[in-house]
Amino acid sequence: MSGRTPHRVLMIVGDFSEDYEVMVPSQALEMAGLSVDAVCPGKRTGDTIKTAIHDFEGDQTYSEKPGHLFRLNANFAFVEADQYAGLYLAGGRACEYLRLDSQILAFVHAFMAANRPVAAICHGAQILAAADVLKGRRLTAYPAVAPEIRAAGGDYVAVEPEQTIIDGNLVTAPAWPGHPALLRAFVRLVDPQILT
């Protein structure tokens, strides 16, 4: 029998995850009544990650500035995928190295194989692509990630930053302006009764 808690969500973060894409979902999901375990490979409960603030200031790509220290509330080494009702992949530069972690890829496989809710924002789709779970799936991401999605067999959909794509158990958004739609869709997948 599974030890899964109906309202418990696993959030994967790392050093230089995008600040809003960690802080806002963590707080909003808890406000909605979900329990969020934020973890990072090689770090324990009480350790912190450094976040980065990405913004658009007229350059050809986003600028990056120091964000907040975000305190982890769970120990990555003790996480078991079957204890969680949903998986949330934060965006930002951390995804470049998080996608190299075999345990993270195993988590993604477990959630996708069990058809449990998975949310990915911005560069979070890099982890999905590395896990090779995108064949035939429709999703969005930060536009620079589109070639990786297509190479992994996914159908990249270009949408406005405020929009979200829902494909079965997978919900995705291109950037933090999409939080309202992304978080609403994810919460409804975890428990349709929370937001009525």
Side-chain angles (χ1 to χ4, degrees):
M1 184 170 157
S2 170
R4 185 177 321 138
T5 305
H7 294 126
R8 195 171 175 198
V9 171
L10 179 63
M11 176 182 274
I12 305 289
V13 298
D15 283 319
F16 303 107
S17 287
E18 207 288 326
D19 189 82
Y20 285 1
E21 294 169 4
V22 173
M23 302 295 238
V24 172
S26 174
Q27 294 171 341
L29 292 171
E30 289 200 5
M31 181 277 307
L34 301 178
S35 173
V36 179
D37 283 359
V39 299
C40 175
K43 298 198 179 201
R44 299 177 185 164
T45 305
D47 289 349
T48 59
I49 59 162
K50 292 179 180 178
T51 67
I53 295 171
H54 293 162
D55 211 348
F56 294 88
E57 303 173 300
D59 303 305
Q60 292 180 330
T61 189
Y62 53 83
S63 63
E64 187 171 75
K65 300 172 184 67
H68 295 89
L69 290 178
F70 178 79
R71 190 166 308 283
L72 304 171
N73 64 352
N75 190 330
F76 183 83
F78 300 140
V79 168
E80 295 180 20
D82 65 359
Q83 297 175 339
Y84 297 92
L87 175 65
Y88 194 95
L89 302 174
R93 194 158 40 97
C95 298
E96 295 174 3
Y97 80 86
L98 293 173
R99 65 183 166 172
L100 304 177
D101 188 285
S102 61
Q103 190 171 351
I104 288 177
L105 301 184
F107 290 153
V108 172
H109 279 279
F111 279 90
M112 294 297 281
N115 203 36
R116 279 183 274 153
V118 174
I121 190 164
C122 196
H123 287 74
Q126 289 182 309
I127 297 171
L128 298 172
D132 197 25
V133 295
L134 295 181
K135 287 182 181 61
R137 302 303 296 260
R138 291 181 72 247
L139 68 154
T140 193
Y142 185 67
V145 182
E148 291 176 62
I149 290 171
R150 291 185 183 117
D155 178 12
Y156 171 76
V157 182
V159 297
E160 294 299 317
E162 299 80 13
Q163 294 180 298
T164 289
I165 297 292
I166 304 168
D167 182 10
N169 69 315
L170 181 63
V171 294
T172 53
W176 51 260
H179 277 147
L182 178 76
L183 292 168
R184 187 179 310 113
F186 182 63
V187 168
R188 285 181 173 154
L189 285 175
V190 172
D191 183 347
Q193 302 302 314
I194 291 179
L195 302 175
T196 56

